[in-house]
Amino acid sequence: MTQEASNKPKSADQAKDYSKYFDFSGAKVISEDASGRTIRLNGRDIHIVSEPDYRQEKQRGKEEVKVLYENAVPDELKTLGLGRKYLIYTYGCQMNEHDTEVMRGLFEEMGYEPTEERMDADVILLNTCAVRENAEDKVFGELGHLKVLKQQRPELILGVCGCMSQEASVVNRLMQKHSHVDLIFGTHNIHRLPHLLQEAHFGKEMVIDVWSKEGDIIENLPKKRTEGLRAWVNIMYGCDKFCTYCIVPYTRGKERSRLPEDVIAEVRDLARQGFKEITLLGQNVNAYGKDFEERDYRFGDLMDDIRKIDIPRIRFTTSHPRDFDDHLIEVLAKGGNLVEHIHLPMQSGSTEVLKRMSRKYTRERFLDLALRIRQNIPNAVLTTDIIVGFPGETEEQFEETLSLVREAGITSAFTYIYSPREGTPAFDMLDNVPYEAKQKRLARLNEVIGELSLEHHRSLVGQVIEVLVEGESKNKANVLSGRSRSNKLIHFEGNKEWIGQFVQVKITYAQTWYLKAEVVAEPAMPSQAG
């Protein structure tokens, strides 16, 4: 189905009744009790503990969010995975990557071992993204491949989790057409994974347990990080912005901030473990603390406290221009381990389009924010997200995006063609921008971004820059790669023993998307520094 066809305007009598997603007239109800209901559909029993509900996901109630510290893996489940292996495929944003780290921790606390070979895996989970249509297409394509493996190995447990699982239409599709899936759960009940695995291992039913209303904040969850250099630290969950194109407020729930003492304790522990860089995560990190009722403590306060911890680099993502206040700018200007790279999603340079997107700021306000950041942090490097072809976007409005990119001094951007998401207000908007026009606009935008990136990189030639060495080049064994404080990718010749260390390099050549450099001084290795 083409993108234009999938987003045709709908009349009032054609509007979807989302409650019908779980009205299976052809299904036989086998049992129903306090633990949920079991139905038989297309030859398979499905146990529905809880199911996604668009209406509930839109609600923002006054329910108290509790902070819980109990162990997520009870003693009786700590041997469930002995002799078994797990594999997780992760799609989407850093939040999903972090959720995968938590699930790895839960798996390994139950005795499972990781594997990269699907033929060896006893459990395979797909941790999914729902932000764009192509992300969902990849997941359903992968499920098609895994169906063959499931037929060869019926004992394999195949699960779908993450943001796609929070969409009623997706769960409906899985139930109807992907009966080889054993387990479906969402973003709010990851801590329930041990119990869900137990049920999946010993039962023959498909198990669906998707919470439509966000749960409590669960601390003390184990995390298995795959490298010792960089770490994600979640500081809050959910989003209350409800941009008209975005599914995240429905899949991730309302904004809930972790207590600052818990965040700071986790960061201090990472410092003791020797991590070189942490990234604070949230769907909208600079809304942190707005949900606190008994303390006046915001994101700027958290950054001010964390900058005093002995970790070389502190980053954050992602922010919303509406919540980027002067106090945060003031704190970031202190520098030190607070890096000068700021990701500031623009989405559009047209005030009219921003209004239809419900971004709740104007072109002028975004530009003013960019200028205030530069006035206080002269070496700030701004990157952004941009959507082209939003319903109703005119050629003139697209040109406004191009000009704002230049005026704001953007040096890099994630750029996308608008992707309609079922359940969002924009899904019902008239999409009158031809797909060919969207493609051309995306190409023109990327050309401008490339020009600005190359221009900025050329200004760095001759400068000496600190690089955190991340690994070897895939093509040349003696070439290393790493990133600067401003998140620039830099290649240089060096010794692989330097991986994980900071190196001073001199920029020698500018490419559009990366830089070449030569080492000025070798790093002081831990054994030498002692």
Side-chain angles (χ1 to χ4, degrees):
M1 183 181 290
T2 65
Q3 192 160 345
E4 304 98 285
S6 67
N7 198 25
K8 289 181 179 179
K10 300 170 183 61
S11 62
D13 60 342
Q14 291 176 310
K16 283 191 175 293
D17 179 1
Y18 296 115
S19 66
K20 296 297 182 184
Y21 276 124
F22 288 88
D23 180 16
F24 296 107
S25 55
K28 178 181 179 182
V29 177
I30 298 174
S31 64
E32 188 165 6
D33 54 31
S35 68
R37 71 185 190 277
T38 299
I39 66 174
R40 180 164 294 154
L41 182 68
N42 298 331
R44 181 158 197 200
D45 289 355
I46 303 174
H47 182 51
I48 303 174
V49 181
S50 58
E51 63 207 40
D53 184 297
Y54 282 107
R55 290 194 180 95
Q56 287 189 31
E57 289 172 347
K58 289 179 182 179
Q59 294 172 1
R60 288 294 185 269
K62 296 290 185 181
E63 299 93 340
E64 180 186 0
V65 176
K66 299 177 182 177
V67 182
L68 306 176
Y69 297 90
E70 72 266 15
N71 195 329
V73 182
D75 291 341
E76 63 270 19
L77 296 183
K78 288 188 176 179
T79 58
L80 179 66
L82 290 180
R84 291 170 170 160
K85 296 182 179 181
Y86 74 92
L87 173 60
I88 305 175
Y89 292 109
T90 308
Y91 304 81
C93 67
Q94 296 95 334
M95 190 73 73
N96 275 19
E97 295 282 356
H98 185 59
D99 286 346
T100 291
E101 290 179 341
V102 172
M103 287 189 284
R104 285 196 196 108
L106 290 168
F107 269 115
E108 296 189 20
E109 201 165 292
M110 289 184 285
Y112 290 86
E113 294 181 8
T115 181
E116 295 299 320
E117 298 295 330
R118 58 174 66 187
M119 289 299 296
D120 296 335
D122 298 281
V123 182
I124 298 178
L125 294 184
L126 276 60
N127 187 9
T128 63
C129 172
V131 172
R132 275 167 287 279
E133 191 171 21
N134 64 344
E136 291 194 4
D137 291 341
K138 288 179 181 178
V139 170
F140 282 114
E142 189 62 48
L143 284 174
H145 297 310
L146 289 169
K147 183 176 183 179
V148 177
L149 183 61
K150 178 72 172 178
Q151 290 170 341
Q152 295 170 345
R153 301 177 53 218
E155 74 282 2
L156 169 70
I157 292 176
L158 180 58
V160 177
C161 58
C163 289
M164 278 177 60
S165 300
Q166 294 291 152
E167 296 185 85
S169 58
V170 168
V171 176
N172 173 57
R173 181 174 173 182
L174 290 170
M175 293 168 66
Q176 295 275 18
K177 299 182 178 180
H178 297 272
S179 59
H180 57 291
V181 172
D182 300 288
L183 180 61
I184 303 170
F185 61 100
T187 61
H188 305 322
N189 59 336
I190 289 174
H191 62 286
R192 292 273 306 154
L193 178 60
H195 301 278
L196 296 173
L197 283 171
Q198 181 187 39
E199 187 169 351
H201 271 304
F202 297 108
K204 300 297 182 183
E205 307 162 328
M206 176 191 288
V207 179
I208 299 173
D209 193 2
V210 180
W211 295 4
S212 294
K213 297 296 287 181
E214 60 280 343
D216 300 317
I217 293 176
I218 313 296
E219 294 289 348
N220 293 344
L221 289 175
K223 301 174 186 68
K224 173 66 182 301
R225 294 180 165 98
T226 55
E227 59 166 282
L229 293 182
R230 298 166 300 182
W232 312 112
V233 175
N234 194 267
I235 66 169
M236 66 180 300
Y237 306 91
C239 182
D240 287 348
K241 287 296 177 283
F242 284 97
C243 301
T244 57
Y245 56 83
C246 188
I247 197 71
V248 168
Y250 310 101
T251 63
R252 290 282 178 175
K254 70 179 181 182
E255 291 174 352
R256 296 102 69 206
S257 302
R258 291 178 65 194
L259 297 177
E261 51 266 33
D262 292 328
V263 175
I264 291 169
E266 183 174 352
V267 175
R268 283 179 176 154
D269 185 56
L270 293 170
R272 285 191 291 269
Q273 294 178 45
F275 281 86
K276 302 292 197 301
E277 179 179 301
I278 67 162
T279 301
L280 305 179
L281 289 182
Q283 259 70 43
N284 178 15
V285 289
N286 43 9
Y288 176 83
K290 288 192 171 184
D291 55 317
F292 291 150
E293 295 182 356
E294 298 180 357
R295 62 175 87 191
D296 183 15
Y297 190 95
R298 299 292 184 263
F299 186 49
D301 301 306
L302 181 67
M303 291 293 281
D304 207 16
D305 284 339
I306 288 181
R307 74 180 181 85
K308 301 165 188 172
I309 299 174
D310 188 19
I311 282 185
R313 291 181 180 177
I314 311 265
R315 303 186 185 277
F316 62 91
T317 195
T318 189
S319 58
H320 193 294
R322 184 182 169 198
D323 292 324
F324 213 108
D325 58 33
D326 288 335
H327 180 228
L328 177 58
I329 296 174
E330 177 187 328
V331 171
L332 295 176
K334 296 178 181 180
N337 58 0
L338 304 182
V339 302
E340 52 274 14
H341 171 227
I342 297 173
H343 191 70
L344 196 63
M346 172 196 302
Q347 305 304 0
S348 174
S350 163
T351 295
E352 282 301 311
V353 174
L354 289 170
K355 185 177 181 180
R356 290 200 298 276
M357 290 179 167
S358 193
R359 292 289 287 174
K360 296 182 173 62
Y361 57 83
T362 62
R363 169 195 177 90
E364 291 73 24
R365 183 170 174 182
F366 183 93
L367 183 58
D368 175 68
L369 173 59
L371 294 176
R372 279 188 286 122
I373 290 173
R374 294 196 183 284
Q375 288 170 357
N376 289 271
I377 314 170
N379 60 342
V381 172
L382 298 184
T383 59
T384 196
D385 297 337
I386 300 172
I387 297 171
V388 302
F390 189 76
E393 182 188 68
T394 65
E395 184 64 28
E396 293 74 20
Q397 290 167 342
F398 171 69
E399 291 286 348
E400 288 185 89
T401 295
L402 295 182
S403 64
L404 184 56
V405 165
R406 295 184 185 278
E407 291 176 45
I410 300 298
T411 61
S412 182
F414 295 106
T415 59
Y416 312 96
I417 288 175
Y418 165 69
S419 179
R421 310 311 298 137
E422 190 169 355
T424 64
F427 187 79
D428 296 314
M429 293 182 182
L430 174 62
D431 186 359
N432 56 0
V433 183
Y435 190 68
E436 294 75 13
K438 296 175 183 178
Q439 290 179 307
K440 290 178 180 178
R441 289 177 189 177
L442 182 68
R444 289 171 59 197
L445 174 60
N446 286 339
E447 185 178 355
V448 170
I449 295 292
E451 291 171 2
L452 295 173
S453 177
L454 182 58
E455 179 183 336
H456 175 63
H457 284 177
R458 284 174 175 163
S459 73
L460 300 176
V461 172
Q463 292 188 26
V464 175
I465 291 178
E466 177 193 79
V467 175
L468 176 57
V469 186
E470 297 178 356
E472 294 180 278
S473 167
K474 295 180 180 179
N475 302 320
K476 296 182 180 179
N478 65 328
V479 174
L480 302 176
S481 66
R483 292 191 178 269
S484 66
R485 287 171 55 92
S486 59
N487 209 36
K488 299 296 180 183
L489 179 62
I490 302 176
H491 297 307
F492 52 94
E493 291 188 2
N495 192 319
K496 67 179 182 180
E497 279 74 28
W498 297 351
I499 295 173
Q501 305 300 316
F502 289 101
V503 177
Q504 297 291 323
V505 302
K506 183 178 181 180
I507 305 301
T508 57
Y509 187 73
Q511 298 274 58
T512 301
W513 306 119
Y514 69 94
L515 296 155
K516 293 182 180 180
E518 59 185 22
V519 176
V520 174
E522 296 185 9
M525 303 301 290
S527 57
Q528 299 169 347

